[in-house]
Amino acid sequence: MSNSFTQEQASPEVDTPEIKYGEQEIAQAKLITFPNPRIGRPYHINITLPEFTCKCPFSGYPDFATIYITYVPNELVVELKALKLYINTYRDRYISHEESINQILDDFVAACNPEEVTIKGDFNPRGNVHTVVEVRHQK
């Protein structure tokens, strides 16, 4: 049996400037919601997003964080794939820790109008400094 798969075909590097499908999905990301299946019953949804990245607006160095979202839905629930893609829109943005977490809160509240939500950004230490930013919204 001849293996027709060559090393050249296995190379993940492509010299074409075309946008990859994942980059397209991220560029078009919007927070999508669906109806809460248990309106009237207060319950918490906890979401952890361990691969948040953005860029420092002063140095341009990358910042890495785990984002924690805890919310009590009202009439709408946020769809998880849409949330993942939305979070990935920050990867090339020059934005401070504080502004990024506050912007995520604003967008989340605008999308699903929860009864309450807490968003926490636990940023990896850089230069011996560890930052945690936590914001809340409650009706």
Side-chain angles (χ1 to χ4, degrees):
M1 293 185 115
S2 170
N3 186 353
S4 62
F5 190 74
T6 65
Q7 183 63 28
E8 185 175 302
Q9 291 170 323
S11 174
E13 295 180 32
V14 179
D15 292 334
T16 60
E18 68 188 52
I19 296 176
K20 309 290 186 243
Y21 71 89
E23 293 170 322
Q24 246 178 350
E25 287 183 345
I26 292 168
Q28 299 167 353
K30 291 182 175 33
L31 290 174
I32 297 170
T33 60
F34 60 91
N36 179 356
R38 294 294 182 145
I39 293 175
R41 174 182 287 168
Y43 62 97
H44 289 85
I45 298 174
N46 299 295
I47 302 167
T48 302
L49 301 149
E51 298 177 351
F52 178 84
T53 61
C54 62
K55 292 181 180 178
C56 174
F58 305 105
S59 68
Y61 289 130
D63 286 316
F64 304 92
T66 298
I67 305 296
Y68 300 94
I69 300 174
T70 300
Y71 74 107
V72 176
N74 186 9
E75 294 182 9
L76 300 172
V77 175
V78 171
E79 195 273 325
L80 295 177
K81 181 179 178 188
L83 178 60
K84 172 190 76 169
L85 292 171
Y86 165 79
I87 287 296
N88 283 329
T89 66
Y90 283 83
R91 71 181 180 182
D92 292 323
R93 287 179 64 182
Y94 295 94
I95 190 168
S96 69
H97 299 169
E98 297 80 6
E99 180 57 19
S100 63
I101 303 308
N102 276 285
Q103 186 62 58
I104 292 167
L105 176 72
D106 291 346
D107 293 344
F108 194 90
V109 169
C112 69
N113 192 25
E115 292 294 328
E116 61 184 74
V117 58
T118 299
I119 299 182
K120 180 169 84 170
D122 186 352
F123 288 84
N124 291 4
R126 187 159 51 91
N128 199 34
V129 176
H130 176 216
T131 306
V132 177
V133 178
E134 186 172 311
V135 293
R136 292 189 181 124
H137 168 82
Q138 190 168 13
K139 283 185 161 191

